[in-house]
Amino acid sequence: MSEFFGAPKKSLPAPRSARFSGVALLGPALVAGVAYLDPGNVAANMSAGALYGYLLVWVIVAANTMAWLVQYLSAKLGVVTGRSLPEILGERIGHRWARRLYWLQAELVAIATDLAEIIGGAVALHLLFGLPLLLGGVITGAVSIGILAVHNRRGARPFEHTIVALMIIITAGFVAGLFIAPPDPAGIATGMLPRFTDSGSVLLAASILGATIMPHAIYAHSALTRDRFHAPTAMERQHPDATTPATTAAPSPVTAPAQRIRTLLRATRWDVTIAMVVAGSVNLAMLLLAAANLAGVDGTDTLDGAYHALADHLGPIIAVMFAVALLASGLASTAVGAYAGADIMHGLLHIRVPLLTRRLITLIPALAILAAGIDPTLALILSQVALSFGIPFALVPLLVVTAQRRTLGAFTNRAITTAVGALCAVLLIALNIALIVLTALGV
C-alpha cells in the first residue's frame, strides 16, 4: 500500500498505514465484544435456561444478529471520522441542557453496566475463595484499575491483548460443560421458534437483549477504532516532522485516502464477525448448559445456585471453570465499561476525567449494593433490563449520523442498511413497551 501513502523514512519504522493489513487490523471488535460476555449476560442466560429451558434460544440468536449490524456501524463511524459517537453527539446537540440530559441517561447506563460487572466479579471470588462479596467487589475494582493502567501506559494494542486473553478464559470456562453434557438438538430447534409464555419470559428476553446489545458497547466501539486507527503512535509523537501525510491523526472522510478507509472497513467487518460469532456462541452455550442440566433444579436461577448445581451434576472441575470464567468476565468487562464511560463524559460534556479516577468513582454504587446485602443475581438481571431501556438512546443516534453524508461522506449507509437498523430499533423499543405493560398487568 506504499503507493498510496509514500515510502517511510529510514530512521522510522514503517508508517501505520503500511501495517493496515491482515490480522494486525483485528482487535477493537473483540474488545467491544467483551461487553457481550459480562456477568449480566451470565445471570440472564443461566436464569433463562434454568427457568424456561430452550424457550429463549431465539432471543440470543436474534440479539446477536442485530448486534453485528450495530457494532459494525459504530466501528465504521470511528474508522471514517476519527471520532466517537459521544464526540459527534456532543457537537450536534446544541442546547446545553439537552446535551446534559442525554449525558445523564448515558451515564446511568454506564453505572448499570459497572454494577453488573463488579457484582459478577465479587460473586466469582466468593464462589472460588469464600471471600465476602464486598471484599470481592473491592478486589475486582482494584484489578480492573490495573487493566486500565495498561491502556494508559502502553496504549490500545496491549490493552486489546489483555482483554482478548481474558475472553479466551471466558470462552473456555462457559463452553466446557457442553462437552460433558450436550444439549438436546430437538430442544434447540424448538427454541428457535419466537414466542413467550409469561411476563417472566419477557423480562428475561429484555434482560438478554440489554446484556447483548449493550449501549456502552455502541459508544465504546467507535472510540476503540478511533484510538486504534487515528491516534498517533509514540514514534510519531516524538518525531512529528518525520511523519508522512498518511500518519497524521484523525483524517476527515473527505481528506482520508479512500483506499485506506476501504481496507480498514473490510478488516472491521471481519473483526466484528469474529467477535460476534465468539460472543454469540458463548452466550448460547450458557443458556444451553443451564437448559440441559439445570432446568427444574431448585435455586439455579441464581449464580450461586447454578455453580453448586453444576458441581453436583457435572463435577467440581466444570463448576470451578464456570466461576473462573465469571471472574474473567467481570474483570474484562468492567475495564471496557470504564473506558466507555470516560469517553461518554468527555464527548458529551467536554470534561476529561482521568480514566483511573473515574474508575474509583464508579465503583461506589456497586460496592454500596454489595454492602446492603441485595441479592446479587437479582441486581444483575435488573441492571440488564435497565440497559435494554438505554439501547434506543444509543442506537437511534447511531443510525441517524451514519446515514448522513456530512458525517461519513461516500461511506454513508446504504438505504437498506438504515432500514434494517431502524427495524431493529423498533423491535427493541416494542419489547421494552411490552415488558412494562405485562409487568404492570401482572401477567
Side-chain angles (χ1 to χ4, degrees):
M1 295 180 67
S2 60
E3 65 269 26
F4 292 103
F5 307 119
K9 293 188 176 183
K10 292 183 179 180
S11 60
L12 292 176
R16 287 172 299 133
S17 54
R19 304 196 297 271
F20 283 169
S21 61
V23 296
L25 294 174
L26 304 180
L30 291 172
V31 175
V34 165
Y36 296 74
L37 298 174
D38 81 339
N41 290 80
V42 182
N45 294 329
M46 296 296 289
S47 295
L51 295 175
Y52 293 96
Y54 299 98
L55 176 70
L56 299 179
V57 166
W58 68 273
V59 177
I60 291 181
V61 175
N64 207 66
T65 302
M66 289 188 285
W68 186 97
L69 175 61
V70 172
Q71 293 307 135
Y72 173 68
L73 292 181
S74 178
K76 182 172 78 167
L77 183 66
V79 167
V80 176
T81 67
R83 292 180 295 167
S84 68
L85 179 60
E87 286 176 326
I88 291 175
L89 294 179
E91 296 173 359
R92 302 283 177 88
I93 302 176
H95 196 282
R96 180 175 58 182
W97 283 105
R99 189 171 64 252
R100 288 176 177 176
L101 287 174
Y102 186 90
W103 165 80
L104 179 61
Q105 65 80 27
E107 190 65 38
L108 291 175
V109 164
I111 291 173
T113 301
D114 213 42
L115 178 70
E117 293 153 355
I118 295 297
I119 289 177
V123 170
L125 288 171
H126 172 72
L127 295 175
L128 289 169
F129 306 109
L131 297 180
L133 289 176
L134 181 58
L135 177 59
V138 172
I139 293 174
T140 301
V143 175
S144 72
I145 289 174
I147 296 174
L148 290 170
V150 172
H151 185 282
N152 275 5
R153 297 179 181 179
R154 303 290 299 278
R157 197 63 168 160
F159 178 69
E160 290 173 9
H161 292 162
T162 303
I163 298 300
V164 170
L166 290 170
M167 179 180 275
I168 293 172
I169 296 173
I170 294 167
T171 302
F174 289 136
V175 172
L178 292 181
F179 293 97
I180 306 299
D184 175 26
I188 297 174
T190 303
M192 290 296 295
L193 178 65
R195 67 194 190 283
F196 298 110
T197 57
D198 54 25
S199 60
S201 62
V202 177
L203 175 66
L204 278 171
S207 183
I208 290 171
L209 284 169
T212 303
I213 307 175
M214 300 187 76
H216 85 281
I218 299 175
Y219 298 123
H221 204 161
S222 56
L224 287 164
T225 53
R226 174 204 63 197
D227 289 351
R228 166 70 92 84
F229 301 128
H230 293 280
T233 65
M235 181 65 75
E236 291 164 353
R237 286 193 295 269
Q238 293 172 14
H239 304 277
D241 57 330
T243 59
T244 67
T247 61
T248 55
S252 71
V254 177
T255 61
Q259 182 60 38
R260 173 178 181 268
I261 293 179
R262 292 191 183 95
T263 299
L264 292 177
L265 291 180
R266 281 196 298 269
T268 296
R269 285 191 286 272
W270 278 105
D271 195 23
V272 173
T273 299
I274 293 170
M276 292 301 99
V277 167
V278 172
S281 299
V282 176
N283 278 315
L284 186 58
M286 295 178 204
L287 187 146
L288 296 180
L289 182 66
N293 300 281
L294 307 182
V297 179
D298 291 338
T300 53
D301 55 341
T302 68
L303 291 175
D304 184 82
Y307 169 82
H308 289 100
L310 287 174
D312 293 338
H313 287 75
L314 301 180
I317 294 178
I318 296 299
V320 168
M321 291 183 70
F322 171 84
V324 170
L326 179 62
L327 177 59
S329 168
L331 294 174
S333 54
T334 193
V336 175
Y339 170 90
D343 193 74
I344 289 170
M345 176 175 285
H346 171 63
L348 291 169
L349 298 186
H350 310 301
I351 298 173
R352 189 179 294 278
V353 176
L355 193 54
L356 300 184
T357 302
R358 181 184 168 82
R359 163 77 286 177
L360 290 172
I361 295 173
T362 55
L363 278 174
I364 296 174
L367 295 180
I369 286 183
L370 291 173
I374 298 172
D375 177 63
T377 302
L378 176 62
L380 282 172
I381 292 177
L382 292 178
S383 72
Q384 303 311 294
V385 174
L387 292 178
S388 73
F389 286 96
I391 292 171
F393 292 98
L395 180 53
V396 172
L398 176 67
L399 291 172
V400 171
V401 298
T402 55
Q404 294 174 335
R405 183 163 291 274
R406 67 168 171 150
T407 305
L408 296 185
F411 299 95
T412 300
N413 293 345
R414 296 179 181 178
I416 185 64
T417 302
T418 301
V420 172
L423 178 61
C424 293
V426 169
L427 291 174
L428 291 168
I429 294 170
L431 179 60
N432 288 330
I433 293 174
L435 172 63
I436 295 173
V437 172
L438 289 174
T439 302
L441 295 176
V443 177

